[in-house]
Amino acid sequence: MSEPRVLLEISDLKKHYPVRSGILRRAVGTVHAVDGVSFTVGVGETLGLVGESGCGKSTVARSILRLIEPTGGSIRLNGKDITHLGKAELRPNRRSMQIIFQDPFASLNPRMTAGDIVGEPLSVHGLAAGRKKRERVAELFQQVGLRADQMHNYPHQFSGGQRQRICIARALALGPDLIVCDEPVSALDVSIQAQVINLLIDLQRKHHFSYLFIAHDLAVVAHISHRVAVMYLGRVVELADKAELFGNPRHPYTQALLASVPVADPKAKRLAPMIEGDVPSPINPPSGCAFHTRCKYVMERCKLERPPLVAIDGQHQVACFLNGGTGRPA
Ligand code: SF4
């Protein structure tokens, strides 16, 4: 199968925050929230981004959407560098990129009807008004599995799953090329999660847009993604096709993450040890390989040098010195 055309290209993306202290608020350190992340997302593709809390997944998402300003690196959308565009220049590109947040209730204005919320982007971008707008909103409601007569209801009159459907309809309104989903089902009941995930998959098949899908639940990521990137302490440590990553994980961190997924069979053998300890602070990240403080295969070299993310087998990339840079012990 030929590879999809690249829609989004992230190169060496960095987001650092100064840590300030004292009356003069002097900078006393730096939080390395995102520290040199590179990946691409193809047209019609879903890239899953996984990792423990605090690894920088959401900061990557917000930097891509320019909701926060990156410290370094570049973001190219449809071949255009949007990293440093001003507000006015960024505006047309904003139509191409939308986001769905984790908490649908917090991301919906409680004083607006669902119809006004979904129709707002159409008004802001001057795309539709009056009857045309109402018809478009009704069509969007129908696409996400809501009834057109629910347009007049307020967010509190919907269930959690329905509220997330409103957020999805709002994200669809402008016909985006890319939708960033930041933990979109984490706040929902398990029974509702599958419905929302399947809706996202159906919509992608129909409209052929791309997703950057952020989640900590590996089962959810495995279900929706085409490729998966694993992040640890602000960096991507492994990136591969979904089947390859879940079937043949090479980085010790990926192996530990997969081994920590609960299995229903108590007699089932685990392939790798559970991960131990907490993620180190991004204010003072460990030298060399950031995972070396938790890695059972750590070598002297790992404490001194940062392993680069390199392709080891086709599209499979890993950042680990083990076994000649291919990950996994020989
Ligand atoms: Fe472990 Fe070293 Fe590989 Fe890092 S580079 S994951 S410390 S073996």
Side-chain angles (χ1 to χ4, degrees), residues 18 34 42 165 170 231 261:
V34 176
R165 286 172 192 265
R170 178 175 57 185
M231 275 190 77
V261 175

Side-chain angles (χ1 to χ4, degrees), residues 10 13 33 35 51 65 84 103 108-109 139 143-144 158 164 168 172 174 186 193 196 203 232 237 254 298 306 325 327:
I10 305 300
L13 186 70
D35 204 17
L65 292 159
H84 304 292
D103 183 351
L108 298 174
N109 186 336
E139 186 192 331
Q143 282 189 25
V144 300
F158 292 89
Q164 199 56 299
I168 294 169
L172 291 180
L174 298 175
S186 308
Q193 287 186 4
V196 173
L203 289 168
Y232 185 78
V237 296
T254 311
V298 61
R306 180 194 291 195

Side-chain angles (χ1 to χ4, degrees), residues 9-327:
E9 185 176 1
I10 305 300
S11 301
D12 200 24
L13 186 70
K14 294 188 177 107
K15 181 62 189 174
H16 298 167
Y17 295 95
V19 180
R20 299 188 185 280
S21 177
I23 299 171
L24 298 176
R25 310 300 298 154
R26 285 214 173 94
V28 293
T30 305
V31 177
H32 297 76
V34 176
D35 204 17
V37 165
S38 302
F39 58 75
T40 60
V41 183
V43 173
E45 182 187 41
T46 299
L47 178 72
L49 199 54
V50 296
E52 290 165 287
S53 300
C55 71
K57 308 183 293 281
S58 293
T59 308
V60 167
R62 282 162 175 73
S63 300
I64 290 170
L65 292 159
R66 296 280 315 278
L67 299 176
I68 53 176
E69 290 304 312
T71 309
S74 68
I75 304 159
R76 297 182 81 85
L77 184 72
N78 274 320
K80 183 175 180 181
D81 190 338
I82 62 164
T83 325
H84 304 292
L85 292 185
K87 258 190 183 172
E89 294 167 293
L90 195 58
R91 199 176 156 92
N93 294 285
R94 286 214 187 277
R95 279 177 58 179
S96 306
M97 300 187 290
Q98 295 295 311
I99 186 165
I100 300 168
F101 292 104
Q102 176 179 1
D103 183 351
F105 203 45
S107 60
L108 298 174
N109 186 336
R111 291 188 197 87
M112 289 171 75
T113 65
D116 286 342
I117 289 169
V118 173
E120 192 179 30
L122 298 170
S123 304
V124 169
H125 287 267
L127 294 179
R131 192 162 69 103
K132 201 174 156 207
K133 185 170 116 178
R134 281 194 300 279
E135 285 171 359
R136 174 72 177 133
V137 171
E139 186 192 331
L140 289 163
F141 266 58
Q142 179 263 325
Q143 282 189 25
V144 300
L146 295 171
R147 296 190 319 274
D149 63 275
Q150 292 176 298
M151 277 165 49
H152 309 291
N153 294 351
Y154 288 86
H156 73 270
Q157 295 174 289
F158 292 89
S159 67
Q162 287 175 325
R163 282 197 285 266
Q164 199 56 299
R165 286 172 192 265
I166 296 170
C167 296
I168 294 169
R170 178 175 57 185
L172 291 180
L174 298 175
D177 296 321
L178 172 73
I179 300 181
V180 174
C181 304
D182 191 359
E183 303 267 10
V185 295
S186 308
L188 304 178
D189 292 341
V190 175
S191 58
I192 307 297
Q193 287 186 4
Q195 291 174 18
V196 173
I197 292 294
N198 288 335
L199 172 65
L200 290 171
I201 292 171
D202 287 346
L203 289 168
Q204 185 183 48
R205 284 194 187 123
K206 193 168 169 197
H207 299 286
H208 212 56
F209 43 60
S210 311
Y211 290 125
L212 176 62
F213 193 92
I214 295 168
H216 62 269
D217 185 329
L218 292 171
V220 169
V221 170
H223 188 59
I224 195 170
S225 306
H226 298 106
R227 288 185 302 140
V228 179
V230 180
M231 275 190 77
Y232 185 78
L233 219 55
R235 300 170 196 164
V236 172
V237 296
E238 187 160 10
L239 197 163
D241 173 81
K242 168 179 69 175
E244 172 72 6
L245 189 114
F246 284 92
N248 185 23
R250 306 301 290 250
H251 196 281
Y253 177 61
T254 311
Q255 292 168 14
L257 268 189
L258 294 180
S260 64
V261 175
V263 286
D265 181 0
K267 292 183 193 146
K269 252 191 160 183
R270 291 195 176 276
L271 296 174
M274 301 276 281
I275 194 166
E276 286 177 3
D278 294 325
V279 182
S281 165
I283 296 177
N284 238 332
S287 59
C289 172
F291 188 58
H292 85 250
T293 53
R294 302 167 84 190
C295 180
K296 70 178 248 183
Y297 305 112
V298 61
M299 305 169 280
E300 269 316 300
R301 183 185 182 190
C302 309
K303 299 174 188 170
L304 305 171
E305 291 174 51
R306 180 194 291 195
L309 186 69
V310 290
I312 53 163
D313 188 9
Q315 293 237 326
H316 197 153
Q317 299 173 47
V318 67
C320 176
F321 290 130
L322 271 178
N323 200 11
T326 59

